Amino acid sequence: MVTRQSMETDMTLDTATESSAIPEVPEPDVHRWVDTVAALTRPDKIQWITGSEEERKEILAIALANGSLIELNQELRPGCYLARSAPSDVARVEARTFICSREESDAGPTNNWVDPAEMKVTLAAHFDGSMRGRTMYVIPFSMGPVGGDISKLGVEITDSPYVVLNMRIMTRVGDEVRERIEAGEQWVPTVHTVGYPLVDAAGNTRPDIAWPCNDEKYITHFPETREVWSYGSGYGGNALLGKKCYALRIASVLAHDEGWLAEHMLILKITGPDGREYHLTAAFPSACGKTNLAMLRPTIPGWKVETIGDDIAWMRPGADGRLYAINPEAGFFGVAPFTSEQTNPTALHALNHDTIFTNVALTDDGDVWWEGMTPETPAHLIDWQGNDWTPDSGRPAAHPNSRFTVRADQAESISSDWENPKGVPIDVILFGGRRATNVPLIAETYSWEHGVFVGATVSSEQTAAAEGTVGALRRDPFAMLPFCGYNMADYWGHWLQIGKTLGDKAPRIFQVNWFRKSADGAYLWPGFGENSRAIEWALRRVNGEVDAVDGISGHLPKLEDLNVTNLDISDDELQQLFALDPDAWSVEADLTEEYFGMFGDKVPADLRDQLAQLRARIAAARG
Ligand code: OXD
Ligand code: MN
């Protein structure tokens, strides 16, 4: 059968109409849309991604030939490759990420906003000819199992073979998705270019380089027309557009309009000693050990934890009135440093084969290494920039934001339910941040509204993935600060609304903090597998098995109910983990009031009411 797709594969674009504009609204027909993008970006060739193994090998060969990927020792790590990015292109770029809604107030004070028409003029100038001399790949992809109740489709156009290989791991790609789109299913158009054409307008050529990118970067989202345009970066969330751009920024807008939730949350299935199954989602800001929690190995006997997702959850009220979640992704794009036998053996083992590593160090025998991977540091490495490295080099061998891309089902903890097209019913939602003070190990919120208040006020110390002063406290509401595609205060309102829809079927909401420190600066809680102890308490609350003590920040465990058997922790340390100082909480409440001030009268009345209730609890605690 000769399909339009195979004809296009061989088409040279000499006959296509040139254009130097981006349409106000994308063409709804996927083939016409591809034509409009090609007319602007002027690739040599268009290739639709079918999802076949043969095609994967062909694109891999291209990436190996131009140096984008380096083959690792295939005996030690079969199917594994290493990419080294440009030193200027190592993380998501929040300062260059834009929400281009028609009204500035719809982007809200936490997003960078540019008028959509103005941004399209800027983008058109950059995308004009940006793929000259390159192949334009068209990747039809599904977020969530193809055809699933909560899943959605998209298409990413990219000129990066590295992006194609990563998207094939992170999403479900290929013909079946294309056919659904052609048959009229809703899809989101996304366009990516590294911004490094090989031929200029005058026809002068230049050779390709291992990591092409551009010093200027634009990661742009159009919430009303549901489009993503990304220019100049080849890295992670800037370039794998199914992830943060679609599954969070655009999907949060779709979710708002359609009555569901698109969240920066991991998903776990937990089975108790009595065989009862629970499902939990948890939101943590970047660099709070989310991947470790997603692959938790419980230290308490009888409990089993399985992974459903490590980063993003899409959740919808189901026919029975409960909230159902899917992991829209198919792989993990995890931070490599400090992944070890101690911190996350499950992730470490998943990386034994068929993994793309980016910006980790290379060992002399062609294997990978990163800080914190092994107790001993190798005597010699090639660092993430390709230079010789020894332990006294005075710089990290792997970039702190170096990554692995691996299929989710390579993790031995993956749940057999991870691709359930209906999703899994959620019992518990956790909100966590990285807090040295004030926030106890675990507390149950007093109500859904209180849970939304806690989610809205999550804060964490600054990380490498974000920009800014490392260590400074930043508010990261629902861990969505860089990922909410509309006004954050309207998003809180949407969560309150979902709570009304769910009523008494709503999951119970808890706040956790694995990072509390003593006055002398030592962590009070061991974390990792021991976090199962806090989660056990939450599940026993859900079962109505344990009472709690009412505290300033929520229902706290009675200390005798927290399972600390075989844990080396003193009573004094336990007291400190749960200590609530009314004076410190009063300062926290003032900071929250100041923070809410940023959103003006958009802050939902229920959240202002929650702040008043918090102040009343502080006053009562003072006596
Ligand atoms: C990520 C992040 O990369 O949250 O997942 O920063
Ligand atoms: Mn994330």
Side-chain angles (χ1 to χ4, degrees):
M1 186 179 69
V2 177
T3 61
R4 165 166 190 147
Q5 168 220 356
S6 59
M7 292 189 305
E8 274 182 355
T9 304
D10 300 327
M11 175 175 103
T12 58
L13 293 172
D14 300 340
T15 52
T17 332
E18 279 191 51
S19 161
S20 53
I22 297 177
E24 196 183 326
V25 177
E27 275 286 346
D29 176 277
V30 69
H31 293 282
R32 280 208 297 275
W33 173 73
V34 169
D35 290 345
T36 62
V37 178
L40 175 66
T41 58
R42 309 292 301 158
D44 272 3
K45 198 179 136 198
I46 300 174
Q47 180 173 346
W48 282 76
I49 295 303
T50 65
S52 75
E53 179 55 18
E54 195 186 3
E55 167 192 85
R56 189 187 68 83
K57 288 194 180 129
E58 175 205 317
I59 294 171
L60 179 63
I62 293 170
L64 288 167
N66 74 11
S68 298
L69 288 183
I70 298 165
E71 188 172 77
L72 293 169
N73 183 324
Q74 294 298 297
E75 260 153 49
L76 298 175
R77 294 217 186 239
C80 293
Y81 301 90
L82 168 64
R84 292 190 188 123
S85 80
S88 60
D89 195 22
V90 293
R92 290 187 290 101
V93 282
E94 287 172 19
R96 304 301 303 160
T97 300
F98 300 89
I99 300 296
C100 306
S101 48
R102 274 180 218 117
E103 300 294 329
E104 183 169 4
S105 62
D106 287 336
T110 57
N111 283 312
N112 301 313
W113 175 83
V114 173
D115 173 80
E118 187 185 322
M119 181 57 92
K120 283 197 169 168
V121 171
T122 306
L123 290 174
H126 286 79
F127 276 84
D128 193 353
S130 72
M131 297 189 190
R132 276 202 178 91
R134 294 192 179 278
T135 298
M136 175 171 121
Y137 299 99
V138 184
I139 316 172
F141 64 91
S142 176
M143 300 311 294
V146 180
D149 294 1
I150 310 179
S151 305
K152 283 191 182 289
L153 309 179
V155 179
E156 175 163 354
I157 285 180
T158 180
D159 54 7
S160 162
Y162 168 86
V163 166
V164 176
L165 293 168
N166 277 271
M167 281 295 284
R168 288 181 57 116
I169 297 174
M170 295 304 297
T171 68
R172 288 104 174 151
V173 307
D175 283 345
E176 194 185 341
V177 178
R178 175 182 50 77
E179 282 158 17
R180 284 177 173 268
I181 289 172
E182 286 168 341
E185 259 182 56
Q186 183 195 30
W187 60 286
V188 167
T190 74
V191 188
H192 168 251
T193 179
V194 293
Y196 194 92
L198 299 177
V199 182
D200 69 14
N204 304 309
T205 61
R206 60 174 166 178
D208 204 358
I209 53 176
W211 187 277
C213 63
N214 196 291
D215 285 345
E216 248 187 289
K217 298 183 186 3
Y218 287 91
I219 321 299
T220 69
H221 308 74
F222 296 82
E224 282 100 2
T225 53
R226 284 132 195 212
E227 292 166 84
V228 179
W229 287 78
S230 168
Y231 179 86
S233 167
Y235 207 85
N238 300 332
L240 312 179
L241 302 184
K243 196 175 181 60
K244 308 296 190 182
C245 296
Y246 180 176
L248 290 175
R249 298 196 191 95
I250 295 292
S252 62
V253 174
L254 297 173
H256 175 265
D257 294 353
E258 298 169 3
W260 52 284
L261 298 168
E263 301 302 323
H264 191 204
M265 290 179 173
L266 61 87
I267 313 171
L268 294 181
K269 174 176 175 181
I270 305 174
T271 311
D274 58 1
R276 186 165 165 189
E277 292 176 357
Y278 311 82
H279 298 95
L280 168 154
T281 61
F284 291 87
S286 305
C288 284
K290 212 167 136 192
T291 307
N292 296 339
L293 184 62
M295 298 172 195
L296 177 81
R297 292 196 177 182
T299 50
I300 44 177
W303 291 84
K304 182 173 168 198
V305 176
E306 292 164 87
T307 310
I308 293 182
D310 78 323
D311 196 35
I312 299 177
W314 283 1
M315 301 189 278
R316 249 183 211 276
D320 61 0
R322 298 184 67 191
L323 189 63
Y324 282 77
I326 62 160
N327 171 9
E329 300 188 279
F332 306 132
F333 181 68
V335 174
F338 300 99
T339 304
S340 71
E341 280 300 341
Q342 282 66 45
T343 61
N344 193 338
T346 304
L348 194 68
H349 302 167
L351 310 180
N352 284 340
H353 64 97
D354 299 297
T355 302
I356 298 174
F357 295 93
T358 306
N359 286 348
V360 302
L362 179 67
T363 66
D364 291 348
D365 55 359
D367 201 357
V368 290
W369 193 83
W370 47 77
E371 276 65 25
M373 183 194 203
T374 53
E376 313 78 38
T377 301
H380 177 261
L381 294 164
I382 303 293
D383 74 6
W384 67 276
Q385 290 184 273
N387 301 316
D388 282 308
W389 184 95
T390 54
D392 57 10
S393 293
R395 57 177 200 276
H399 188 278
N401 192 37
S402 55
R403 298 281 178 147
F404 52 79
T405 319
V406 67
R407 279 197 63 82
D409 56 12
Q410 283 186 208
E412 59 215 16
S413 62
I414 200 76
S415 161
S416 57
D417 258 347
W418 86 281
E419 299 199 277
N420 186 332
K422 296 197 176 325
V424 293
I426 300 304
D427 301 282
V428 165
I429 295 174
L430 303 184
F431 289 118
R434 178 183 279 272
R435 294 296 309 267
T437 62
N438 277 15
V439 180
L441 176 69
I442 185 159
E444 182 179 4
T445 60
Y446 286 112
S447 60
W448 181 269
E449 290 76 11
H450 182 219
V452 174
F453 175 79
V454 164
T457 54
V458 162
S459 52
S460 190
E461 281 139 22
Q462 200 76 254
T463 72
E467 293 168 345
T469 324
V470 173
L473 204 66
R474 81 165 190 166
R475 293 282 174 180
D476 193 351
F478 286 75
M480 284 287 277
L481 183 68
F483 306 123
C484 185
Y486 61 104
N487 189 304
M488 185 61 80
D490 291 338
Y491 164 89
W492 299 336
H494 178 58
W495 262 81
L496 291 164
Q497 190 53 47
I498 291 283
K500 294 198 172 68
T501 307
L502 294 168
D504 61 5
K505 302 254 174 59
R508 307 261 288 262
I509 302 180
F510 295 74
Q511 181 172 33
V512 296
N513 177 24
W514 318 135
F515 302 98
R516 189 132 179 200
K517 289 184 175 170
S518 63
D520 57 13
Y523 284 115
L524 288 163
W525 183 249
F528 303 106
E530 307 297 1
N531 293 336
S532 55
R533 298 170 187 272
I535 292 172
E536 180 201 37
W537 180 77
L539 300 178
R540 292 177 70 203
R541 281 291 291 168
V542 169
N543 275 346
E545 288 171 29
V546 282
D547 290 335
V549 190
D550 292 356
I552 290 173
S553 73
H555 299 293
L556 301 179
K558 294 180 167 166
L559 291 189
E560 65 270 24
D561 287 335
L562 188 73
N563 180 349
V564 288
T565 312
N566 295 328
L567 191 66
D568 184 18
I569 189 165
S570 67
D571 283 350
D572 178 53
E573 285 166 330
L574 266 182
Q575 302 280 358
Q576 288 183 58
L577 261 179
F578 289 96
L580 296 163
D581 170 15
D583 292 336
W585 270 91
S586 181
V587 173
E588 185 110 13
D590 290 347
L591 289 173
T592 297
E593 180 146 359
E594 201 181 293
Y595 181 62
F596 281 176
M598 202 174 138
F599 301 92
D601 55 14
K602 282 215 176 239
V603 176
D606 275 343
L607 294 194
R608 296 220 179 261
D609 184 49
Q610 285 298 325
L611 180 58
Q613 290 186 36
L614 173 64
R615 287 198 189 279
R617 291 195 297 272
I618 294 167
R622 279 178 163 151

